[in-house]
Amino acid sequence: MSGDASHRPLDLRSDTVTRPDETMRAAMAAAEVGDDILDGDPTVRALEEKAAEILGTEATLWVPSGTMGNLIALTVHLRPGDRFLAPALAHVVEFELGGWASFAGGVPHALPWSAGPGRVSPASVRASVPPSQPYDALRDRLLCLENTHNAAGGTVTGPGEHRAVTATAKEAGLLVHLDGARIWNAAVSLDVQPAELTWGVDSVLACLSKGLCAPMGSVLGGSAEFVRAARRLRKMVGGAVRQGGVMAAAGLVALSRIELLRNDHSNARVLASGLRDLGWEAASPETNIVLARVTDAERRVSELHRMGILATTISGAVRFVTHADLSEKDIQEVIWRISSMSP
Ligand SMILES: *Cc1c(COP(=O)(O)O)cnc(C)c1O
């Protein structure tokens, strides 16, 4: 079983590389549209309603990117002089260029992964929020959760733990934002409805452009009042669009495919176990992200690149992400190509 003759690069850098297939493109081409800034776009409205139903929020707002959704949420929630808590290596803190610093006005505080990789315990939330504060202390306003946690390797927080942490945050007087860019992966991995993972949150962000293959777009959910405020901010940051229905049509197809993420998860397990058989140190993934501990991650990624395997590094590990544009056969091909490397 020699390798793929064409030696086409196999792209495991991210599930964002997924492209819309024919069905999605056909839905986009056929979308009924209107001017979403003037009097509304019917397909955007349909997507926002469907997403609200799935996420269990009163309303949602389509936004062009996850980063913009998080920025808008934090801007609704935070004031200058506020502090927000987030698990260490949260995407919103590390990979969004600190938009909150210049726009929302808050200051981040990293919480340790006290409940497991990427997960924070109620006790660590409680311990970070003193019951009373002098007037010149930062005001703790918000807890930002991340499910799945990207940098921890797509780790999942279950509904019971989510409730406990959220309830503790509320008791401490905090608002809660959930960066659920990959909440769909979490739900599929846990075999629960996404709405079970949004209990008690004041806002939730979920991406349509990752494993679900939409070319762009995320949804930001919360109360009707939150979404009204978010809509104004979306306009302010230039994220309101006109015939957004073309993109929303892709989003609706994306939402009908959440169950397919199971394949990505099973491919990730196949990859991790193949890597382990080859002597790599790769933990068994909870979702679609495989982290492999290596001594020199940058060098490893260059070597992989030369063999036609695209991956990235994250906190000193090599990160492989499985997605809809990679079949199980492609994953076998990845393992085959890697088998010629020394571990
Ligand atoms: C990808 C991602 C985002 C941002 O989404 P973009 O659409 O790339 O801006 C936010 N949070 C997490 C956890 C992500 O993985």
Side-chain angles (χ1 to χ4, degrees), residues 1 40 56 58 111 118-119 121 136 142 209 238 257 281 308-309 314:
M1 51 171 242
E58 207 178 342
L111 294 176
R119 290 155 40 215
S121 66
D136 56 351
L142 176 70
S209 56
R257 294 179 170 178
E281 197 187 321
I309 299 166
I314 195 157

Side-chain angles (χ1 to χ4, degrees), residues 16 64-68 70 90-92 95-96 146-150 179-182 205 207 209-210 217-218 319:
T16 55
S65 72
T67 299
M68 188 186 288
N70 280 337
H91 195 282
V92 67
F95 306 109
E96 300 181 12
E146 187 172 315
N147 199 8
T148 66
H149 192 293
N150 183 343
D179 178 353
R182 295 190 180 80
L205 178 276
C207 287
S209 56
K210 292 186 168 165
S218 287
R319 186 183 88 149

Side-chain angles (χ1 to χ4, degrees), residues 94-281:
E94 301 291 333
F95 306 109
E96 300 181 12
L97 302 184
W100 30 264
S102 48
F103 207 72
V107 175
H109 174 73
L111 294 176
W113 294 348
S114 43
R119 290 155 40 215
V120 298
S121 66
S124 61
V125 171
R126 209 175 294 116
S128 301
V129 185
S132 76
Q133 286 274 65
Y135 90 96
D136 56 351
L138 289 167
R139 182 138 47 131
D140 289 305
R141 173 86 67 176
L142 176 70
L143 172 66
C144 255
L145 297 169
E146 187 172 315
N147 199 8
T148 66
H149 192 293
N150 183 343
T155 53
V156 168
T157 302
E161 197 174 312
H162 166 81
R163 272 176 186 250
V165 172
T166 300
T168 301
K170 301 257 136 177
E171 280 157 30
L174 302 178
L175 298 163
V176 178
H177 171 66
L178 173 60
D179 178 353
R182 295 190 180 80
I183 192 173
W184 325 116
N185 295 85
V188 163
S189 157
L190 292 159
D191 254 320
V192 301
Q193 297 302 315
E196 291 183 59
L197 302 174
T198 66
W199 180 89
V201 305
D202 297 281
S203 52
V204 51
L205 178 276
C207 287
L208 305 166
S209 56
K210 292 186 168 165
L212 301 183
C213 310
M216 63 189 285
S218 287
V219 284
L220 181 59
S223 67
E225 192 191 344
F226 168 82
V227 168
R228 261 195 303 280
R231 192 179 293 280
R232 279 176 59 79
L233 286 166
R234 183 183 69 174
K235 177 68 179 151
M236 191 186 287
V237 297
V241 301
R242 302 293 175 175
Q243 283 72 40
V246 175
M247 289 302 158
L252 280 164
V253 175
L255 289 178
S256 72
R257 294 179 170 178
I258 295 172
E259 276 300 314
L260 295 180
L261 295 172
R262 265 179 223 290
N263 301 331
D264 303 349
H265 297 180
S266 103
N267 284 339
R269 287 192 298 271
V270 168
L271 176 60
S273 110
L275 287 171
R276 281 197 302 274
D277 290 345
L278 295 171
W280 289 57
E281 197 187 321

